[in-house]
């Protein structure tokens, strides 16, 4: 008969969540967004950007490079996590590779001169990219068995629920390895 977990042993739920259906949805959403943005930037976005003022055109070029870079970083993370989930590489190998993927910081504020002139669809993609980034950062922290930071928005997301559980059971800090 196998023994259950020691009452002082922390049970890591992050890796279990990473291997669950939650990751499949995140992967599908992320890869779908990447394809959609690439198609937009090569087609409609290119045409739309030619009609922008000089100020808005510069902002469009800057933001599209930022968005493309961020999405490629997210794609790398998603592909590594999928490889772990499918048993193609070990979680430790993935951690080493993921540490090489340095996520670009999200600007604290968007806007400024020319922002209101950008195509609405493009601005929507920037927002979706930011949201995907936040989700991946939280998922990555869970996968590494770290407590992600909760957002001040009051969202009832996984991080908030884990923070409440942690507070209820009085466990703080990083779990034992």
């Amino acid at each position: 008969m196998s023994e259950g977990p020691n009452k002082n042993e922390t049970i890591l739920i992050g890796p279990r969540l990473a291997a669950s259906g939650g990751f499949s949805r995140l992967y599908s959403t992320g890869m779908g967004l990447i394809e959609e943005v690439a198609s937009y930037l090569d087609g409609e976005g290119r045409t739309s950007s030619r009609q922008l003022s000089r100020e808005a055109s510069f902002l469009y070029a800057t933001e599209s490079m930022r968005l493309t870079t961020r999405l490629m970083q997210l794609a790398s993370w998603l592909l590594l996590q999928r490889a772990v989930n499918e048993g193609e590489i070990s979680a430790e190998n993935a951690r080493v590779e993921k540490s090489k993927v340095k996520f670009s910081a999200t600007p604290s504020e968007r806007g400024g001169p020319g922002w209101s002139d950008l195509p609405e669809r493009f601005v929507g993609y920037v927002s979706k990219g930011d949201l995907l980034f936040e989700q991946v950062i939280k998922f990555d922290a869970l996968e590494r068995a770290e407590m992600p930071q909760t957002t001040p928005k009051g969202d009832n997301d996984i991080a908030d629920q884990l923070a409440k559980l942690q507070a209820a059971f009085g466990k703080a800090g990083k779990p034992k390895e």
Side-chain angles (χ1 to χ4, degrees):
M1 190 181 278
S2 70
E3 293 181 28
N6 180 328
K7 70 178 181 177
N8 295 326
E9 184 180 332
T10 302
I11 298 173
L12 303 177
I13 64 169
R16 290 186 176 114
L17 285 172
S20 72
F23 174 75
S24 295
R25 284 186 298 281
L26 180 63
Y27 180 85
S28 295
T29 300
M31 296 310 266
L33 179 62
I34 291 165
E35 287 180 28
E36 199 175 323
V37 168
S39 177
Y40 171 80
L41 292 175
D42 282 342
E44 181 185 333
R46 187 177 308 228
T47 303
S48 296
S49 70
R50 291 184 187 131
Q51 300 166 4
L52 297 173
S53 67
R54 182 175 178 194
E55 203 170 58
S57 181
F58 178 75
L59 186 58
Y60 179 90
T62 302
E63 288 296 328
S64 63
M65 285 183 4
R66 242 186 222 157
L67 178 60
T68 302
T69 300
R70 156 96 29 97
L71 291 177
M72 290 303 100
Q73 293 164 343
L74 294 172
S76 295
W77 188 93
L78 289 167
L79 290 168
L80 282 167
Q81 187 60 46
R82 185 185 73 173
V84 170
N85 291 356
E86 293 180 359
E88 296 172 6
I89 62 173
S90 71
E92 187 54 40
N93 281 347
R95 277 188 201 94
V96 169
E97 292 302 315
K98 285 178 186 177
S99 71
K100 296 175 186 176
V101 178
K102 302 295 182 201
F103 290 121
S104 301
T106 301
S108 58
E109 292 184 24
R110 299 255 190 218
W115 183 262
S116 61
D117 298 332
L118 293 176
E120 188 176 322
R121 189 166 172 201
F122 176 74
V123 172
Y125 285 135
V126 170
S127 295
K128 287 180 182 180
D130 289 349
L131 180 60
L132 178 64
F133 175 75
E134 289 174 21
Q135 292 171 335
V136 165
I137 292 299
K138 287 177 184 178
F139 211 96
D140 186 58
L142 287 171
E143 193 274 330
R144 288 183 285 117
E146 292 179 1
M147 193 60 178
Q149 297 295 316
T150 58
T151 58
K153 297 181 233 173
D155 293 343
N156 191 13
D157 62 6
I158 293 172
D160 290 334
Q161 294 300 315
L162 288 173
K164 288 174 186 175
L165 284 171
Q166 189 177 44
F169 292 103
K171 303 233 182 202
K174 192 171 179 172
K176 295 178 186 176
E177 300 214 25

